[in-house]
Structure formats: C-alpha cells, structure tokens
Amino acid sequence: MKKNIKDILNENDATLDTPTLPTGHRAEFLEKLATTEGIPSKPKSFQYWKSIAAACVLFLGIGAVLYSNYGETAIVQSSLFTEMKSIEDEYLQHIASEWETFQLTANDESLVKKYEERLENLDASYQELKQAFLVEKNSLTTLDKMIKNLQMRLTLLQEIQQHLKRLQDEQKNI
C-alpha cells in the first residue's frame, strides 16, 4: 500500500488544531502598550560617549599607521631613486664619451649607422624599463634590468672600438 508523502502530511495537518489566544488577550496587550508609551526611555549618554571615543581612537590609529608607512616608503623610494639616478648618469657619461670616440675613429658611415640603430633600440628598451620602474616603485628586478641595459650599451661601444683598433693596426702592418 503506497501512500504519497503529500497525503500523509495533509492528514497530519488536518488533525492539528491551530491554537487560539485566550479571550481578553488583545485588550490586555493594548493596555500594557498604552502604559509604556507615555514613559520616555532615557538615552544612555554614557554609551554614546564610549562609541565616539572608540571611533576617535580607531581613526587616530589608522592615521598613525598610514603616516608611518608613507614616511618610510618615501625615504626608501627617494634613496633608491637617487642611487639609480647616479648610476644612470655615470653610465650615460661613459656611453657618450665612447660614442664620440667611436664616431671620430670610424671611417665607414654604414657601420656608424648600424651601431647607432642598435644603440637607439637599446635606449628605447631602457626608456620602457625606466617607465616601469617609476610605476612599480622599488622594483629591484627592473632596476637590475636597467643597469644591464646600460652595461650592454657600454660594452657594445667598447667592443666595436677594440675591433676598429685591430683593423687599423692590421692596415698599418700591411
């Protein structure tokens, strides 16, 4: 004999009587409500002061943490940035002097153009790295890549000058 679950639940619900409130309950409730309406509740002013004091302490704490973190990063960033700037200036001075020497000693205009293009490509990638460093702030990997780029440019110029000296020495010996 199969019975549907809905039928079983409906049978159980039909047997249950909904409870009814005792007579006079509503009047009693309204009477109690009327007597409590006239009594104003006292605001707990001490409770408000505690909340205000807690909020002030919270804001001061957050402000102190933010101020101390900002001050430290500004000092670290400025020292790292100045160090990077001094390294950059030193390398750029060496690169400029090597480039001038190369242009004076090189006789082949196509060779000068070829190396000028290579140096311009390296400079373009250096400028991209510099922008990434300014955005990422304190990125040591980007700083390392920037230094390697400058070293690569300087090494390139030094190698080509050594090659030109060897060619000039060979021409003198012939």
Side-chain angles (χ1 to χ4, degrees):
M1 165 162 141
K2 293 182 179 180
K3 282 192 172 181
N4 192 353
I5 294 177
K6 286 183 180 178
D7 295 336
I8 294 171
L9 291 175
N10 286 337
E11 287 174 11
N12 288 341
D13 284 346
T15 59
L16 292 175
D17 290 330
T18 57
T20 56
L21 296 174
T23 57
H25 174 76
R26 185 175 182 87
E28 204 175 300
F29 173 75
L30 291 174
E31 184 181 315
K32 285 183 181 180
L33 185 64
T35 58
T36 58
E37 275 183 11
I39 303 171
S41 61
K42 290 184 181 179
K44 298 181 180 178
S45 60
F46 183 69
Q47 194 69 1
Y48 293 127
W49 286 109
K50 281 175 35 181
S51 298
I52 292 170
C56 289
V57 168
L58 181 67
F59 286 132
L60 287 174
I62 290 172
V65 168
L66 290 177
Y67 180 74
S68 66
N69 285 344
Y70 175 74
E72 289 175 8
T73 57
I75 292 168
V76 169
Q77 178 187 352
S78 65
S79 66
L80 186 61
F81 187 76
T82 56
E83 185 177 336
M84 186 270 307
K85 193 70 174 156
S86 67
I87 291 170
E88 179 186 28
D89 291 342
E90 182 180 333
Y91 270 107
L92 289 177
Q93 286 175 353
H94 287 299
I95 290 170
S97 67
E98 292 289 330
W99 179 249
E100 288 175 16
T101 308
F102 169 67
Q103 285 181 327
L104 292 175
T105 57
N107 297 332
D108 189 7
E109 195 64 34
S110 64
L111 183 66
V112 173
K113 278 201 176 280
K114 176 184 169 185
Y115 281 99
E116 186 175 19
E117 287 176 9
R118 287 179 73 181
L119 287 174
E120 285 174 356
N121 290 338
L122 286 171
D123 185 51
S125 65
Y126 179 80
Q127 294 304 325
E128 290 173 9
L129 288 170
K130 191 173 182 180
Q131 290 300 319
F133 179 75
L134 293 174
V135 169
E136 293 175 10
K137 301 214 192 301
N138 300 332
S139 173
L140 295 178
T141 56
T142 307
L143 183 62
D144 187 45
K145 288 178 184 178
M146 290 170 66
I147 292 172
K148 285 182 182 178
N149 182 297
L150 290 170
Q151 289 173 343
M152 194 182 317
R153 283 197 264 175
L154 189 58
T155 305
L156 179 69
L157 287 171
Q158 290 172 344
E159 287 175 358
I160 191 62
Q161 283 188 4
Q162 289 174 357
H163 181 69
L164 285 175
K165 284 182 185 179
R166 274 186 260 135
L167 286 176
Q168 288 175 354
D169 289 343
E170 287 177 8
Q171 288 177 356
K172 288 181 183 178
N173 290 337
I174 294 179

